[in-house]
Amino acid sequence: MKMSAALEKKFNAQITLEFESSMVYRQLAIEMESKDLPGIAAWLRHQADEEVVHANKFIDHLTDRANHPSIGAISAPKVSVKSVLDVFEAALAHEQKVSASIRDLYSATDKAGDLDSRPLLMWFISEQVEEEATVDEIVGRIKLINDDGPGLLRLDAELGQRPAATTENAAG
Ligand code: FEO
């Protein structure tokens, strides 16, 4: 069933935020590449691709419901980082912002009685719990490393093992 124009606008804002998230991670990957940490850069780049998957999930949902997905103006990523800790703290803050936005979207659909979007939004609520936990754990481990070179190189090697994401919405 087609969603209301008001909800469509909110979903389109979420699509834009997911693309912005991709740009934030892409910029963070560039910062790590420039610090000769290719594994961490690769992890962040894969995350940038995963954010495009998220955007595509919302786009597909709107299309399936005969609504009109529309990508808004993407803000340039405001990234100012000096250390690996800064990078993941910036990522965590961004994920928290995205989680809040998803909760807001869920509340709006709930208020409107829009049941059709519930499975998708429940998926996103779980995904955000997972993403925040993953980034938070990395922040904790970086604090343990405490700028120790060999420790950072081990983390770099480990994060570099993350498999690449496809930007397609595999779940349909
Ligand atoms: Fe699409 Fe990392 O939130």
Side-chain angles (χ1 to χ4, degrees), residues 18 21 25 47 51 54 95 98 124 128 131:
E18 298 292 348
S21 303
Y25 278 110
Q47 187 61 36
E51 298 301 345
H54 292 173
E95 288 302 342
V98 173
F124 270 101
Q128 283 309 121
E131 294 213 328

Side-chain angles (χ1 to χ4, degrees), residues 1-3 8 59-69:
M1 191 177 86
K2 190 171 180 173
M3 69 175 71
E8 182 183 284
I59 289 170
D60 289 347
H61 183 72
L62 261 62
T63 303
D64 287 348
R65 294 183 61 185
N67 285 95
H68 185 69

